[in-house]
Amino acid sequence: MAAYTKVDTPELLTATALATLLGKRSTKAVYRLMRLDPTFPRQIRLGSECNVAWRRSDVMQWIAVQKPVQLTGLSGVELRQRAKQQAAA
């Protein structure tokens, strides 16, 4: 009986797993992030066009270099309204 040895293969994340890791509500948000941020890790094709994944190590490196987000408790709409008011003043 042969012993199982782990091969050094990168751990891959599906779109759903990536969305969960990034705190996104849907895979659509992941694809939007890919479109808007040129530094976002590239996806890997796994056979067909529709079957893709991301290397966990690439995603973790990308997360590490992101600027911290300041949480204000305001929604995006409220932030835009506040910015308009400050610009008008």
Side-chain angles (χ1 to χ4, degrees), residues 18-74:
L18 181 58
T20 301
L21 178 68
L22 297 176
K24 303 292 181 188
R25 291 185 179 188
S26 68
T27 57
K28 185 176 179 180
V30 171
Y31 289 106
R32 186 178 322 120
L33 184 58
M34 283 175 51
R35 192 177 68 248
L36 297 175
D37 187 349
T39 65
F40 193 77
R42 304 288 257 166
Q43 61 189 8
I44 302 166
R45 294 201 192 283
L46 304 174
S48 72
E49 251 183 58
C50 299
N51 197 5
V52 296
W54 290 261
R55 286 186 189 93
R56 183 181 200 72
S57 59
D58 293 348
V59 173
M60 298 309 285
Q61 287 175 353
W62 178 81
I63 290 171
V65 298
Q66 297 305 301
K67 293 180 182 175
V69 175
Q70 181 180 3
L71 300 176
T72 61
L74 300 174

Side-chain angles (χ1 to χ4, degrees), residues 65-87:
V65 298
Q66 297 305 301
K67 293 180 182 175
V69 175
Q70 181 180 3
L71 300 176
T72 61
L74 300 174
S75 71
V77 173
E78 292 169 323
L79 288 173
R80 286 190 292 278
Q81 288 174 344
R82 184 177 281 185
K84 278 184 183 178
Q85 290 172 349
Q86 290 175 351

